[in-house]
mmCIF file of all heavy atoms in Angstrom:
data_model
loop_
_atom_site.group_PDB
_atom_site.id
_atom_site.type_symbol
_atom_site.label_atom_id
_atom_site.label_comp_id
_atom_site.label_asym_id
_atom_site.label_seq_id
_atom_site.Cartn_x
_atom_site.Cartn_y
_atom_site.Cartn_z
ATOM 1 N N LEU T 1012 2.668 7.946 -35.516
ATOM 2 C CA LEU T 1012 3.243 6.971 -36.374
ATOM 3 C C LEU T 1012 2.841 7.448 -37.838
ATOM 4 O O LEU T 1012 1.757 7.284 -38.311
ATOM 5 C CB LEU T 1012 2.726 5.558 -36.140
ATOM 6 C CG LEU T 1012 3.544 4.731 -35.123
ATOM 7 C CD1 LEU T 1012 3.445 5.435 -33.778
ATOM 8 C CD2 LEU T 1012 3.084 3.333 -35.151
ATOM 9 N N THR T 1013 3.868 8.105 -38.422
ATOM 10 C CA THR T 1013 3.580 8.671 -39.814
ATOM 11 C C THR T 1013 3.165 7.573 -40.809
ATOM 12 O O THR T 1013 3.914 6.614 -41.057
ATOM 13 C CB THR T 1013 4.809 9.387 -40.315
ATOM 14 O OG1 THR T 1013 5.255 10.298 -39.337
ATOM 15 C CG2 THR T 1013 4.567 10.077 -41.640
ATOM 16 N N GLY T 1014 1.924 7.680 -41.359
ATOM 17 C CA GLY T 1014 1.524 6.751 -42.424
ATOM 18 C C GLY T 1014 0.987 5.470 -41.901
ATOM 19 O O GLY T 1014 0.610 4.569 -42.768
ATOM 20 N N TYR T 1015 0.904 5.252 -40.546
ATOM 21 C CA TYR T 1015 0.450 3.924 -40.002
ATOM 22 C C TYR T 1015 -1.089 3.842 -39.876
ATOM 23 O O TYR T 1015 -1.637 4.849 -39.373
ATOM 24 C CB TYR T 1015 1.152 3.641 -38.764
ATOM 25 C CG TYR T 1015 0.670 2.368 -38.061
ATOM 26 C CD1 TYR T 1015 1.042 1.138 -38.526
ATOM 27 C CD2 TYR T 1015 -0.193 2.328 -37.010
ATOM 28 C CE1 TYR T 1015 0.685 -0.061 -37.964
ATOM 29 C CE2 TYR T 1015 -0.722 1.181 -36.426
ATOM 30 C CZ TYR T 1015 -0.217 0.031 -36.869
ATOM 31 O OH TYR T 1015 -0.654 -1.177 -36.332
ATOM 32 N N THR T 1016 -1.624 2.717 -40.272
ATOM 33 C CA THR T 1016 -3.009 2.497 -40.045
ATOM 34 C C THR T 1016 -3.123 1.063 -39.390
ATOM 35 O O THR T 1016 -2.609 0.132 -40.038
ATOM 36 C CB THR T 1016 -3.904 2.491 -41.273
ATOM 37 O OG1 THR T 1016 -3.756 3.826 -41.850
ATOM 38 C CG2 THR T 1016 -5.320 2.171 -41.025
ATOM 39 N N PRO T 1017 -3.725 0.934 -38.240
ATOM 40 C CA PRO T 1017 -3.800 -0.454 -37.611
ATOM 41 C C PRO T 1017 -4.762 -1.341 -38.410
ATOM 42 O O PRO T 1017 -5.688 -0.855 -39.088
ATOM 43 C CB PRO T 1017 -4.274 -0.174 -36.246
ATOM 44 C CG PRO T 1017 -5.098 1.131 -36.345
ATOM 45 C CD PRO T 1017 -4.312 1.958 -37.378
ATOM 46 N N PRO T 1018 -4.570 -2.552 -38.324
ATOM 47 C CA PRO T 1018 -5.460 -3.497 -38.935
ATOM 48 C C PRO T 1018 -6.953 -3.315 -38.421
ATOM 49 O O PRO T 1018 -7.193 -2.958 -37.313
ATOM 50 C CB PRO T 1018 -5.030 -4.920 -38.525
ATOM 51 C CG PRO T 1018 -3.606 -4.737 -38.224
ATOM 52 C CD PRO T 1018 -3.426 -3.370 -37.646
ATOM 53 N N ALA T 1019 -7.962 -3.378 -39.412
ATOM 54 C CA ALA T 1019 -9.265 -3.061 -39.086
ATOM 55 C C ALA T 1019 -9.882 -3.966 -37.942
ATOM 56 O O ALA T 1019 -10.748 -3.478 -37.227
ATOM 57 C CB ALA T 1019 -10.106 -3.083 -40.330
ATOM 58 N N ASP T 1020 -9.403 -5.202 -37.849
ATOM 59 C CA ASP T 1020 -9.919 -6.087 -36.843
ATOM 60 C C ASP T 1020 -9.342 -6.080 -35.504
ATOM 61 O O ASP T 1020 -9.671 -6.885 -34.636
ATOM 62 C CB ASP T 1020 -9.926 -7.532 -37.426
ATOM 63 C CG ASP T 1020 -8.505 -8.005 -37.705
ATOM 64 O OD1 ASP T 1020 -7.596 -7.207 -37.689
ATOM 65 O OD2 ASP T 1020 -8.416 -9.224 -37.982
ATOM 66 N N ARG T 1021 -8.336 -5.183 -35.394
ATOM 67 C CA ARG T 1021 -7.681 -5.122 -34.109
ATOM 68 C C ARG T 1021 -8.516 -4.309 -33.029
ATOM 69 O O ARG T 1021 -8.847 -3.185 -33.437
ATOM 70 C CB ARG T 1021 -6.305 -4.476 -34.259
ATOM 71 C CG ARG T 1021 -5.413 -4.573 -32.989
ATOM 72 C CD ARG T 1021 -3.895 -4.301 -33.348
ATOM 73 N NE ARG T 1021 -3.403 -5.392 -34.188
ATOM 74 C CZ ARG T 1021 -2.257 -5.295 -34.812
ATOM 75 N NH1 ARG T 1021 -1.547 -4.149 -34.731
ATOM 76 N NH2 ARG T 1021 -1.816 -6.257 -35.570
ATOM 77 N N PRO T 1022 -8.770 -4.773 -31.884
ATOM 78 C CA PRO T 1022 -9.631 -4.087 -30.976
ATOM 79 C C PRO T 1022 -9.039 -2.761 -30.461
ATOM 80 O O PRO T 1022 -7.821 -2.706 -30.255
ATOM 81 C CB PRO T 1022 -9.821 -5.094 -29.782
ATOM 82 C CG PRO T 1022 -8.692 -6.018 -29.879
ATOM 83 C CD PRO T 1022 -8.310 -6.116 -31.298
ATOM 84 N N THR T 1023 -9.870 -1.708 -30.301
ATOM 85 C CA THR T 1023 -9.452 -0.487 -29.800
ATOM 86 C C THR T 1023 -9.540 -0.396 -28.290
ATOM 87 O O THR T 1023 -9.105 0.562 -27.637
ATOM 88 C CB THR T 1023 -10.179 0.626 -30.356
ATOM 89 O OG1 THR T 1023 -11.591 0.492 -30.235
ATOM 90 C CG2 THR T 1023 -9.942 0.695 -31.880
#
Side-chain angles (χ1 to χ4, degrees):
L1012 272 65
T1013 305
Y1015 175 76
T1016 301
D1020 60 348
R1021 188 165 294 165
T1023 57

